[in-house]
Structure formats: C-alpha cells, structure tokens
Amino acid sequence: MKKLLLIAGALTALSSWSVLANERVDETVQAEGVGKISIDNLRGKVLIEGWDKTEVSVKGELDEQTQRFIFERNGNAVKIKVKVKNSYRGGDNSDGSDLVVMVPRDVRVDFAGVSSDFTLKRIEKGVEGKTVSGDLHVSNIGGQTEIATVSGDIVSRQLSGKILLNTVSGDIEDTESKGRLKIRAVSGNVKTLSKAREVDLSVVSGEIEFMLGSIDDLELSAVSGEIAGELTLADSARVKMSSVSGDIGLKFNEDVNATFRLKTHAGGDLINKITDDRAQESKYSPRAKLYFDTGNGSASVKGTTVSGTIRLTK
C-alpha cells in the first residue's frame, strides 16, 4: 500500500509543474473512458484536433509568462491549463503559448482564453468555449457547438447539430452548417451559407447576409442593423421576424406557399414584390399592415417593424 501511494504521488507531481520561460512541452496521457477535456490558455494560439487514438497529446511552446503547466487526468476528465504569473496583466496573443493538442474524436472539449486564438477540428461530441480578443476557427464539429468571442472573429465550416455562435464586435463567417443554427452579433457582421433547417439570426448595429436551403423554422431580429438573404420555404415552415430601426430583406427561392402577416408600428415600410398586394395604412395612427396568401398557404410568414423596413422578393 505504501508503494502504491508513493507511485500515485509521483504521478500527481508529474501532472503539474513549474516551468521556465518559453519551455517546450511534449506530453501524453491515456484517455480511455474520458468524456471531457478542458483547455485553458490565457494568450497565444492553440490547435485542438481530434484523432483515432485513445490518448491526449500536448506539444509546443509555453507562454513566456508561464508559472505552471497543468496536464492531468481526474476520473473521466482531462485538464490542460497554462497558468501565468500573478503579476502578468497584459500582452497580445503573439507573445503567448503555441500549442497543438490532439484528443480522441469522441470527447467533448471545453476551452477558455483571453487574447488566445483557438482552432478546433474533427471533434464529434461538441465544443464549448470563449475568448475575448482572440479568433475562433472551428470545422467538422458534431454534437453541440457553443462558442463566443468579444472582439475576435469566428470562422466555422461544416458544423452539425445544435450550434450557437456569438460575437460582440467581431465578424462571423459560417459555411455548410447543418441542424439548428443560432447566431448572435452586436456590432459585428455575419455571413452564413447554411443547410440548417432551424435558423435564428440576430444583430444590433451590424449586418447579416445569409443564403439558406429549405427552412422549417426561421427567426430574424434586427435593431438598427440589417438582415438580408435567400431561402426556400418547406411545407408548414414558420418564419418570424422583427426589426426596430432596422431593415430585413427576404428573397424566396422556388414557389412560395405561405400566408403573410406583416405589420408596422410607429412608422416603417412594408414592400411586397411577390404579389400585387400592397400595405394598407391606418387612418388614425402611423401603422400599416400587409396581409396576403400565396399558393396553398401552408407556411407562415409573420413580421413586425418599428421605423424599419421589411422587403419581400422572389
């Protein structure tokens, strides 16, 4: 028993140690049965990629401000953390760690950083994480993806499942996503070319451009921003949109079979280029409504605007 305790103590010591500035690491732990891997890196850049091995590998160079490097397994979780000196208060991501982390494909990955760029590839069980001023590049991710940045950009490719992309002042570029897609931007700009059937897009003072396939459910929201794009309505699809001092433009591909119910409050414009129907203005208030049906009316398109514009074309 005493020998086992000594061995356990030695293994624990190896998983967390003090390092010299710019020290290189090349470490591996067995990951059979591991379900989650968490990675915390303050600044620099980290590549996280899935592979077929049942082990986690970390290679690269540590931040010059590193005080301790933690790489340990605890039960069914693996933790990787670059802990910097308490006196450190600044710097940019070019001065930080440069790491490559290889993980089993069938695990979930959590990550966090401040001025750290993260690239994540080929992970089947989803990712969740955020950075402040760093950029995020994610591709071939399954499961649930939930990522956010404040002033950095997000580039995503071939995500599937439940997807949430969030930025404040950065830009988002999404391509070939599938499943359920939600994008939130404040003053950033968004472009998405998505195959998702459930889509929710929201912007405050930025712009969103989209090109969608066949949609079952679509929600659009603009506040002092602009949203414009193309889509195809599936049978019994639902579209709901709202704007406040913002503009929304929808182009419908193929035949349109829907009931349209659009309203303005406190001013605004409703522009219909699908049929000859025009908005009817209220006699007693700065309101208007545009109601009409096309085809068999199986889908539903509803929208409201306050001092904004909703434009429909085909």
Side-chain angles (χ1 to χ4, degrees), residues 134-176:
D135 297 332
L136 303 178
H137 291 75
V138 290
S139 60
N140 297 103
I141 307 296
Q144 180 171 327
T145 299
E146 186 172 339
I147 58 176
T149 181
V150 177
S151 58
D153 297 333
I154 296 175
V155 178
S156 65
R157 298 283 186 273
Q158 295 180 321
L159 307 185
S160 61
K162 188 176 181 181
I163 305 159
L164 172 59
L165 311 177
N166 198 322
T167 186
V168 177
S169 59
D171 296 334
I172 296 177
E173 181 179 318
D174 169 63
T175 305
E176 296 185 66

Side-chain angles (χ1 to χ4, degrees), residues 233-236 255-259 293-300:
L233 287 177
D235 291 340
S236 302
D255 294 335
V256 182
N257 298 297
T259 61
D293 299 344
T294 60
N296 60 26
S298 61
S300 171

Side-chain angles (χ1 to χ4, degrees), residues 75-108:
N76 64 351
V78 172
K79 178 180 180 181
I80 301 168
K81 182 174 183 178
V82 181
K83 186 175 181 180
V84 300
K85 299 174 183 178
N86 292 332
S87 60
Y88 172 72
R89 291 292 183 273
D92 58 43
N93 55 359
S94 64
D95 298 323
S97 303
D98 186 354
L99 301 176
V100 176
V101 183
M102 303 299 296
V103 304
R105 293 176 186 269
D106 59 345
V107 299
R108 180 167 179 82

Side-chain angles (χ1 to χ4, degrees), residues 180-200:
R180 299 169 60 186
L181 174 66
K182 180 182 289 188
I183 297 179
R184 295 286 182 265
V186 179
S187 58
N189 296 323
V190 175
K191 290 184 179 181
T192 178
L193 177 60
S194 177
K195 298 178 182 178
R197 299 190 67 92
E198 297 183 29
V199 178
D200 186 343

Side-chain angles (χ1 to χ4, degrees), residues 3 29 79 83 86 91 128 130 154 157 172 237-238 268 278 311:
K3 183 179 291 185
V29 299
K79 178 180 180 181
K83 186 175 181 180
N86 292 332
E128 180 177 352
K130 59 184 178 180
I154 296 175
R157 298 283 186 273
I172 296 177
R238 183 186 74 98
R278 297 293 176 260
R311 178 187 293 269

